[in-house]
Amino acid sequence: MAAAAAGAVAALMAALLLALLWRLAWRPRAVARAFARQGVRGPPYTFLAGSLPEMKRLLIAGRVGVAPLDATCHDIMPVLLPMFHRWVAHYGKTFLFWIGPIPAFFSTDLHLVKQVLADRTGLYQKDFLIPVLNFLFGNGVVFINGDDWKRHRKVVLPAFTHDKIKSMSAVTAEVTKQMMQQWREQAHQSGGKGAAEIDMIVAFNDLTSRINGRVAFGTSHQDVEEVVAFMREMQKLATSATLDAPILWYLPTRRNWQVWRVNKQLRSKIMSIMQARLAAKGGGDCGNDLLGLLLEAWTPQRMAGAETLTTDEVIDECKTFFAAGQETTATLLVWAVFLLAVHPQWQDRVREEVLREFPDGDAGEAPSADVLGQLKLVKLRPHLDQLSETIISASM
């Protein structure tokens, strides 16, 4: 009896060992060979760690002894992501690399990117994030697939119709005018110099958090700032964890304990915002902004066949919105101001167009969404507009 049990355990251990060898050694090399036959190559696979050691080496080497980036140069890839810059030059626009034993593609081919984002067949699954990024971004509509994606999309999409987005312009204008007034006061208090030094990333992060809080969550700026603060802390932890050996993502390391603590605080804060909205509405209509629509569909447990969201799903949608709409928008605004600063001739051209198309601006009124459509110089190039629309439609 004991011998039979020992034999069963030995057989189980042998099967487990073979499965691990297949997963960590044979399968990655077979996948790499299969794609190489199709013309897609990439950095070689390293047992267990994949491409992560090479990524870390190139990242460190790319930042040692490198001269500061010229303010007139837009080529930030060699500084920001030296490993991908090197691999694109060596393997082409599309290549295969490895996040541990997990295959991943990197592509700068806009036609291929558009094809993937516009796909509705389910062929391109959005099914992998390292755990800390999963905590950060949430499992919202941008990151789920199949029937769950359809269910979430049906709840979330009404908050982003064309009319709803146009209606946000009044709030955006109001908050922006408040920010500009603060800048004027800072310049006035600068000891007669008539100028002030302003940290644009801080200013625009504050601006976007105020707008997001008003138009999507109908909550106070302080509540939104607390959520954003937790997400920034999580973002720092995620940046540090990205190049760790994959096994460390799942172990109770000091960093992971921090991630779990911050995620608990973040969830608690979002729950308090949800409960405050419900208490304010007194059981009536929760509103037609993003939070209101999520709460209308919220039930503790999802019922089969119903367009409802569980507590975790509502929290994840809130995380996804904050992650997608906060830092990205602020960074875009900072970049636009930077470009205007290093190209003052464009400041003059844009200012001339705004004053020509919107002469009422001197009266303190903000341009409507319809007027903004007439500002040709401010608009992005047509192919970038088209790509942005594709990204939005694919996500939603």
Side-chain angles (χ1 to χ4, degrees):
M1 192 74 174
V9 170
L12 180 61
M13 294 298 293
L16 180 60
L17 180 60
L18 287 174
L20 286 174
L21 288 174
W22 175 83
R23 174 73 177 175
L24 301 176
W26 183 86
R27 179 178 176 271
R29 300 187 189 283
V31 169
R33 287 194 298 269
F35 279 107
R37 288 194 292 269
Q38 301 175 59
V40 179
R41 301 177 301 122
Y45 171 76
T46 301
F47 180 74
L48 190 61
S51 304
L52 296 178
E54 180 71 1
M55 292 173 71
K56 185 177 291 188
R57 186 186 68 80
L58 292 174
L59 185 63
I60 294 173
R63 295 180 178 178
V64 175
V66 177
L69 188 65
D70 189 331
T72 62
C73 176
H74 300 172
D75 188 14
I76 63 172
M77 280 293 286
V79 176
L80 185 64
L81 296 170
M83 55 283 199
F84 293 125
H85 181 262
R86 173 78 65 87
W87 289 341
V88 166
H90 192 68
Y91 299 112
K93 288 185 176 182
T94 302
F95 59 84
L96 174 73
F97 70 105
W98 297 88
I99 305 173
I102 300 168
F105 280 97
F106 182 96
S107 182
T108 58
D109 184 337
L110 290 182
H111 177 73
L112 178 59
V113 171
K114 181 177 178 180
Q115 177 183 336
V116 171
L117 291 175
D119 177 73
R120 288 290 182 271
T121 65
L123 178 63
Y124 304 102
Q125 294 287 300
K126 301 168 287 184
D127 58 357
F128 174 74
L129 284 175
I130 69 173
V132 63
L133 290 179
N134 220 7
F135 286 133
L136 174 63
F137 293 125
N139 200 26
V141 68
V142 178
F143 300 103
I144 52 180
N145 304 284
D147 291 339
D148 284 338
W149 175 80
K150 294 177 183 177
R151 178 168 52 85
H152 282 239
R153 183 178 185 271
K154 189 170 182 178
V155 172
V156 172
L157 189 60
F160 298 96
T161 61
H162 182 67
D163 290 340
K164 287 285 182 63
I165 292 175
K166 286 182 65 175
S167 69
M168 296 176 185
S169 60
V171 173
T172 302
E174 178 188 344
V175 176
T176 303
K177 285 179 4 183
Q178 292 172 358
M179 179 188 71
M180 294 172 64
Q181 181 60 33
Q182 291 174 354
W183 290 1
R184 293 190 187 97
E185 292 174 0
Q186 287 180 254
H188 181 70
Q189 297 170 0
S190 60
K193 297 179 181 179
E197 182 175 314
I198 297 171
D199 189 329
M200 289 288 102
I201 191 63
V202 172
F204 284 133
N205 266 310
D206 182 71
L207 175 72
T208 53
S209 66
R210 286 176 182 268
I211 294 172
N212 285 343
R214 291 273 297 277
V215 303
F217 295 92
T219 189
S220 71
H221 178 232
Q222 181 179 354
D223 286 335
V224 177
E225 271 297 298
E226 289 183 38
V227 171
V228 172
F230 288 134
M231 296 198 74
R232 284 179 187 154
E233 187 174 352
M234 188 87 75
Q235 189 176 42
K236 293 177 182 178
L237 295 169
T239 301
S240 302
T242 301
L243 297 179
D244 281 346
I247 192 172
L248 295 179
W249 298 338
Y250 305 95
L251 297 179
T253 62
R254 180 179 179 182
R255 182 188 296 134
N256 286 340
W257 278 112
Q258 290 179 287
V259 169
W260 298 331
R261 174 183 56 80
V262 174
N263 183 59
K264 183 177 179 180
Q265 294 172 315
L266 177 58
R267 285 176 54 86
S268 177
K269 187 60 193 177
I270 294 175
M271 276 296 301
S272 71
I273 293 174
M274 293 163 56
Q275 291 164 350
R277 170 68 69 88
L278 290 173
K281 296 299 179 179
D285 183 11
C286 292
N288 60 358
D289 58 8
L290 176 62
L291 181 60
L293 293 171
L294 292 174
L295 292 178
E296 289 290 344
W298 177 29
T299 59
Q301 299 294 330
R302 186 168 70 86
M303 296 178 290
E307 303 299 340
T308 60
L309 301 178
T310 65
T311 301
D312 286 341
E313 289 173 330
V314 172
I315 291 174
D316 280 348
E317 287 295 348
C318 292
K319 285 184 180 181
T320 298
F321 179 83
F322 275 113
Q326 171 68 30
E327 200 84 19
T328 50
T329 306
T331 303
L332 177 62
L333 291 171
V334 172
W335 182 244
V337 171
F338 166 75
L339 291 179
L340 290 173
V342 297
H343 299 288
Q345 70 276 18
W346 276 92
Q347 289 188 46
D348 298 333
R349 294 176 64 180
V350 170
R351 185 180 295 108
E352 178 185 350
E353 180 187 56
V354 170
L355 294 176
R356 181 180 67 250
E357 298 293 342
F358 188 67
D360 296 333
D362 292 335
E365 297 182 12
S368 66
D370 295 330
V371 172
L372 291 176
Q374 301 172 24
L375 303 177
K376 307 301 181 185
L377 293 177
V378 175
K379 293 182 68 177
L380 294 173
R381 290 175 295 176
H383 71 277
L384 289 179
D385 282 340
Q386 185 179 13
L387 181 60
S388 298
E389 291 173 4
T390 302
I391 293 172
I392 292 171
S393 63
S395 301
M396 300 303 295

